[in-house]
Amino acid sequence: MSEDCTPPPQSEPPVSEMSSITLSETGPNVLRAQFSKRVPIVNILCRPDGGSGLAGQTVTVGGWVKTGREQGKGTFAFLELNDGSCPANLQVIVDASVAALGQLVPTGTCVLVEGQLKVPPEGTRQQIELRVSKVIEVGSVDPAKYPLPKTRLTLEFLRDFVHLRPRTNTISAVARIRNALAYATHTFFQKHGFLYVHTPIITTSDCEGAGEMFQVTTLISDSERVEKELQKNPPPSEAEVEAAKLVVKEKGEAVAQLKAAKASKEEISDAVAVLTQAKEDLSRLEERAKLKPGLPEKDGKIDYSRDFFARQAFLTVSGQLQVESFACAVSSVYTFGPTFRAEHSHTSRHLAEFWMVEPEIAFADLEDDMNCAEAYVKFLCQWLLDNCLDDMEFMAKNFDKSCIDRLRMVASTPFERITYTKAVELLEKVEDKKFENKVEWGIDLASEHERYLTEVLFQKPVIVYNYPKGIKAFYMRLNDDEKTVSAMDVLVPKVGELIGGSQREERLEVIQKRITEMGLPLEPYDWYLDLRRYGTVKHCGFGLGFERMILFATGIDNIRDVIPFPRYPGRADL
């Protein structure tokens, strides 16, 4: 195609106008990416007409080759191109006269091409294809070394290539679903007037009281640095320190003598300068004499006052305690970020780093908490059905045939609400299943119990509330029976517990007693108690495990496959 036939490039709108642009799904013009000179494949294939209405248009498309094959005795090649904007691949046809086909067909090759969209012959599954006129860029691949061949790969295998696995159909679909759920989360809370608060990743408080926290410290690196320094430059001996002290004494006496003799100002100033230098030399020697290999100690324990934060610090297990301080000032807030737990668990349900959505609502009780949690989960499910159905259909086809029906059921069904005591009574009567964990009042319900309630007994989401105080955290409000707390868990099919929450204890004396009963020190929580000392308010909140929500939505079995860069015992790649 001659350059004269190429349409002029689309003019870029001013940056100030880009945020107001709307996308047309049925118009005659294909929409180019706003910040790239290419057309996203989603803008071609995911129109109601499958892209056929764009036939005849010249476009630039970029992506990675899923499959490629030479045809017609090497006269042309078919490429299945995907850029991650949608699950579908765009079929691209390249003639040998346009480019060397051998460099284009290997799986994993990245290409940026220009060509004309055409309606393929009848009987083919594609509704539109691209006939290439120019190959602009090629990111080549050695097929003998590329670790992700086009054969079907297990999710376990892909965990060894976390930097390349987003190129696979499954992980890219999970990424889009995860993105949609994150967008839906912010949409839901912003729509309901919640303020988004960034809580710290480094904390000095243990929210759960479990003690399974990653410690943040510079003491180890500091001690290693000191040890290397001492090997290069050993500390001064006592004799050297004493000699330096003697020099300081002599220089001090010299200054005194000059002053007594009423020496000139210049002579006294010179002597004082010599004394000052001697004192500085002594100070450096004394500091170096204190240097010792190993961690600093005081009274037989590690001296954390010498640490970076002058006290013990950890990676947070929850942003709840900190975000409560904002709830007790601006009423409705939420935090959404990474949390950490140093639990040596290798199960398919545990990660060392995971994300939590944690809203807090002032002037609200347990019923309000349950209402918010139910509305939020329903909103997430409906959002995926409305905005991510193509990816969900991929999941239904490849992982869990019931995942879309499950979303529809949760989005449209009122949640069952029962007390913990009632839940135990129902589980104790079960005869058609033998539980591995014995059911009795006071236990923390296991996943098998939770799933039986939601999948078998009620066949819909269940909110269990008023748990025994002995199995819940200190900040949950003590009920009048003094045996249970105003806590609630939202249980859903496939994963069991999806949300855990409670009305918070707003009474100072009660929460002080609870902290003490659980064997926790009061001092680290003194700031938290201030929220009860000064203008206490009834408030509640909950936490949703974001990866668990993705497991529930997709039907994928292992939590390591629904987070971009999984961290678990023995693995922290990249």
Side-chain angles (χ1 to χ4, degrees), residues 397-415:
K397 179 181 177 182
N398 293 279
F399 291 96
D400 186 348
K401 294 178 181 178
S402 63
C403 65
I404 293 177
D405 290 337
R406 189 166 57 243
L407 290 178
R408 288 182 176 138
M409 181 272 291
V410 172
S412 61
T413 306
F415 291 12

Side-chain angles (χ1 to χ4, degrees), residues 291-306:
L291 295 178
K292 294 179 181 178
L295 298 176
E297 292 188 359
K298 185 177 182 180
D299 301 328
K301 298 179 181 179
I302 296 175
D303 183 7
Y304 286 105
S305 67
R306 305 270 296 278

Side-chain angles (χ1 to χ4, degrees), residues 97 138 146 193 202 206 233 330 363 367 374 392 421 443 528:
S97 60
V138 177
Y146 187 56
I202 298 174
D206 182 357
N233 188 7
V330 296
F363 309 102
E367 184 177 1
E374 179 172 343
M392 288 307 306
T421 301
I443 67 160
Y528 187 66

Side-chain angles (χ1 to χ4, degrees), residues 451-472:
R451 293 187 63 176
Y452 193 89
L453 286 168
T454 184
E455 294 174 5
V456 181
L457 284 180
F458 293 102
Q459 298 182 10
K460 62 178 179 177
V462 178
I463 302 180
V464 179
Y465 62 96
N466 287 351
Y467 279 79
K469 68 175 184 179
I471 60 173
K472 291 296 182 180

